Amino acid sequence: MGWIATALTSAAWAQDASLTLSDCVQKALDARNELTIARNDLRVAQQGVVGARAGFLPQVQATGGYTYNSPSKTPGSQQFIALNGVHEYLTQFGASLPLDTSGKLRAELARARSEREAARQSVRLTERDLRKAVTASYYRLVLARRLVEVAKSTLAEAQSFESRTRKLNAGGEAARADRRQGSGRGGVPATDVAGRGARRRDRQPRSCFVLDRGRDRRSEGVRSIRRSPAPACADGTSDAYLKRLEFSVFDAQRLGLKADIGAARAGMLPQTSLNWQYGIDSTRYSWADRGQAFFATVDVPIFDWLKAWSATKQAHIRLESFDITRDMARRNLSKEYQSALARVRLTWAQIETTRQQVSLSQENYHLSQVKYEGGEGLALDVVAAQSQLAQARGNYFSAIAAYFNARSDLEVASGQ
């Protein structure tokens, strides 16, 4: 999804402000991307329906012509008997109306409508996938920024502890080894690693969600990851995945295949049309010779019947293969829904577990500080407790970010 960054970089940097998740999604939807192509495909399908409807309308035409027929040697006769005379003038207006007795026009209209519906559902499907991609990138960046804050907080606490050990060492209350322990593990490497991780994630979706650029403002994503999220209201029924947009696309495609069967079957049936002509068809160009004619045309296939029958059988086989493909997709989507539901429950449980780890690590860190300052503990214990607390905080926010992504996947898997 690198095009997301290209499409939104200029807008994000021009605003020089934080972007919320909804802002990022809206900018991605407005950019020229796969969604734009899907919308253009829908416009093409809509015009196809208009063209299919036009097949039911009368076809009107105007005909004009002049024919010279070389006369024969016999006076008063012409060389070609099929013509009316030596000179033939033709000025006619006509109209023909198909009755669609074979069902060909109705099948073509049904096919056009199915393509339009499939294109409409494809637009919704593309938009859903785009929202999902933006959401995943957004929370990855938010997590990286939060881990940087955790590393900076750990570094500040380590520097404060180092300052205290220096003072204690200067006053003879701490050994030089404790001072080295306090300064040797100050948390700088962790800060560098977290910063590099944030910059890597920033380069991918930076333009989608530039956060906190020189301003004391927080985005929705940062605020949401600072607090415990609400549990997802998942539909626990086993057939919740049937609401997915993929099944709407399948339904539209199946209607198109059934329309193909009707179009192929139309080749075995007679097609009727009504015709009307009005004008001049005479050996002299005189309005007094005008007239009109009505006639009907019935086209009955004879030698092409076997070809149409074979095309009908092919259309039936394609429909049968499509139904098999749909059943396979249904099993896969059901499995995806169950996996997404289990992942949401697992990540929710991880949030509670990591929250308890943070609480215990904080208590252990403060206890190790009290012991050290009371002369009952080592500086190494304080540094170890500090590293454990930083790791617990990182795990906690990673669990929250994983939960948000899992909940987004569940919404897609359940057709929300």
Side-chain angles (χ1 to χ4, degrees), residues 291-361:
Q292 60 182 336
F294 293 92
F295 55 92
T297 301
V298 179
D299 294 330
V300 181
I302 298 178
F303 295 103
D304 291 340
W305 190 89
L306 183 60
K307 179 180 179 181
W309 178 83
S310 177
T312 304
K313 296 294 292 184
Q314 289 177 341
H316 276 289
I317 296 174
R318 292 192 188 99
L319 180 59
E320 181 180 353
S321 299
F322 176 81
D323 289 337
I324 296 175
T325 303
R326 177 176 177 173
D327 291 339
M328 295 171 57
R330 178 174 179 173
R331 291 194 296 269
N332 292 332
L333 294 177
S334 174
K335 180 180 178 181
E336 182 178 336
Y337 168 73
Q338 296 296 335
S339 299
L341 185 61
R343 191 161 56 250
V344 166
R345 293 170 178 171
L346 177 62
T347 53
W348 177 254
Q350 288 176 347
I351 291 176
E352 182 62 27
T353 301
T354 53
R355 184 192 296 113
Q356 294 176 2
Q357 290 177 351
V358 170
S359 178
L360 294 175
S361 297

Side-chain angles (χ1 to χ4, degrees), residues 61-179:
Q61 65 276 346
T63 304
Y66 166 73
T67 303
Y68 172 76
N69 183 17
S70 59
S72 64
K73 296 179 181 181
T74 303
S77 63
Q78 62 272 4
Q79 189 70 32
F80 292 95
I81 300 177
L83 300 179
N84 295 328
V86 177
H87 302 277
E88 181 177 358
Y89 299 90
L90 182 65
T91 301
Q92 290 183 348
F93 301 93
S96 61
L97 177 64
L99 298 182
D100 194 30
T101 53
S102 65
K104 180 180 180 180
L105 296 179
R106 284 170 289 176
E108 292 176 352
L109 179 59
R111 159 54 78 174
R113 286 174 174 172
S114 68
E115 291 178 351
R116 180 185 62 182
E117 182 62 23
R120 181 181 292 113
Q121 298 301 329
S122 179
V123 170
R124 297 178 60 192
L125 192 63
T126 305
E127 180 178 344
R128 183 205 67 184
D129 293 341
L130 179 60
R131 290 178 181 272
K132 179 182 177 182
V134 172
T135 301
S137 299
Y138 182 83
Y139 283 121
R140 281 197 299 268
L141 178 58
V142 168
L143 173 61
R145 295 287 180 87
R146 192 67 185 97
L147 293 179
V148 170
E149 294 179 5
V150 171
K152 288 180 178 180
S153 176
T154 303
L155 176 60
E157 293 175 358
Q159 290 173 343
S160 176
F161 177 69
E162 179 184 359
S163 177
R164 290 199 303 271
T165 56
R166 286 178 182 272
K167 293 179 181 180
L168 292 174
N169 179 259
E173 299 180 13
R176 183 174 299 178
D178 290 341
R179 177 184 171 182

Side-chain angles (χ1 to χ4, degrees), residues 153 157 354-369 385-386 388-390 392-393 396-397:
S153 176
E157 293 175 358
T354 53
R355 184 192 296 113
Q356 294 176 2
Q357 290 177 351
V358 170
S359 178
L360 294 175
S361 297
Q362 285 177 340
E363 183 179 353
N364 183 40
Y365 174 59
H366 292 308
L367 183 60
S368 62
Q369 283 183 320
Q386 188 180 63
Q388 183 181 4
L389 177 58
R393 288 174 176 173
Y396 174 65
F397 291 113

